[in-house]
């Protein structure tokens, strides 16, 4: 059986370290998130968090397999949601356990930068995986949506909360109450997708962005991510105080000395990531 999650370690152009390219690999089921995928994603997160060489994580879905003779090709998908077959006949107790401490929270809680590379359907849990990443790069054939309402459900992997932050209250209500999908251009306009490109350009565009981020100080990236996150959970007044402290603390780091000196010397900084 093929692995449901594949990790490729792509060397950083800036020197040491790698970008972890993580592919959810169930293309015949449009990369739907079953329990095996969930466990593999959680393992990946633990590995990425604890492996100092990993500077950035890119999450994507496997492209379709060639169709069997006489059959239609399956569509491109990032992830077409939680695996609906695992919902049949299940009650709240089972689902609460399954959805507590889940893979999407593990991705969200990574201290390192994360990018979703979206080609095709990002529906339900797929939209939630994308929204749990820091940045989303989408191809022109990406389709985002929260169709759970059509199943008598609502998003359960944080979609009701995280999508509001990206698209605003009104559009989140519309998406989740209608279950209607949003095409790539609208997703870009709404702020779901940071960048839009052709399917052919998607890998290069995403990896180029990942390389740009991976070339920065790991320590400073972590502080940036944590501080920006604080905007979601705090009042403006408290958030500004959190930022002031984080900013001041960076003045005690080697990387700040290295970055400032490199600017003044007109040289490239060689981070120690501390
Ligand atoms: N869970 C389990 N299986 C899924 C799935 C999901 N979320 N999404 C797609 N699949 C499976 C299909 O059952 C089908 O399997 P089969 O070929 O063995 O029958 C295969 O993936 C291909 O999907 P199919 O529906 O045939 O493709 P399509 O091009 O006709 O439609 C979608 C594509 C995305 C519109 C459709 O698959 C869909 O609506 N998926 C569910 C989306 C959803 O509701 N997600 C939220 C879940 S909470």
């Amino acid at each position: 059986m093929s692995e449901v999650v594949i990790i490729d370690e792509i060397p950083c152009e800036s020197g040491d370290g790698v970008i972890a390219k993580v592919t959810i690999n169930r293309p015949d089921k449009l990369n739907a998130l079953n329990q095996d995928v969930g466990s593999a994603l959680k393992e990946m997160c633990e590995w990425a968090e604890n492996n100092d060489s990993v500077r950035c994580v890119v999450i994507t879905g496997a492209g379709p397999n060639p169709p069997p003779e006489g059959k239609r090709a399956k569509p491109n998908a990032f992830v077409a949601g939680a695996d609906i077959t695992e919902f049949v006949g299940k009650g709240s107790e089972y689902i609460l356990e399954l959805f507590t401490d889940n893979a999407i929270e593990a991705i969200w809680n990574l201290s390192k930068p994360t990018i979703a590379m979206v080609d095709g359907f990002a529906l339900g849990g797929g939209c939630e995986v994308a929204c749990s990443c820091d940045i989303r790069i989408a191809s022109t054939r990406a389709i985002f949506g929260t169709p759970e309402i059509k199943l008598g459900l609502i998003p359960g992997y944080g979609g009701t909360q995280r999508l509001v932050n990206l698209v605003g209250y009104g559009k989140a209500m519309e998406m989740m109450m209608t279950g209607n999908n949003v095409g790539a251009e609208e997703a870009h306009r709404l702020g779901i997708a940071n960048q839009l490109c052709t399917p052919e350009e998607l890998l290069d565009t995403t990896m180029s962005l990942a390389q740009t981020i991976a070339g920065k100080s790991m320590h400073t990236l972590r502080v940036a991510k944590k501080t920006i996150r604080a905007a979601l959970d705090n009042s403006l007044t408290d958030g500004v105080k959190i930022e002031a402290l984080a900013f001041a603390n960076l003045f005690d780091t080697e990387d700040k000395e290295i970055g400032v000196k490199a600017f003044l010397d007109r040289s490239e900084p060689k981070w120690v990531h501390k």
Side-chain angles (χ1 to χ4, degrees), residues 26-30 32-33 72-75 80-85 87 121 123-125 146-148 151 153 181:
R26 290 185 78 210
D28 289 345
K29 299 291 175 187
L30 310 193
L33 300 173
R72 77 182 168 116
K74 306 249 155 128
D83 191 314
I84 298 169
T85 62
F87 289 177
F121 290 110
L123 302 181
T146 48
E148 291 90 341
L151 304 172
L153 290 169
N181 295 338

Side-chain angles (χ1 to χ4, degrees), residues 43-66:
E43 261 175 50
M44 176 281 293
C45 287
E46 207 180 324
W47 166 81
E49 188 64 42
N50 296 318
N51 185 336
D52 284 346
S53 71
V54 176
R55 303 248 183 279
C56 182
V57 176
V58 172
I59 300 181
T60 193
N65 287 319

Side-chain angles (χ1 to χ4, degrees), residues 178-193:
T178 63
N180 290 344
N181 295 338
V182 165
E185 270 166 33
E186 190 182 1
H188 187 215
R189 198 160 36 76
L190 288 168
I192 301 176

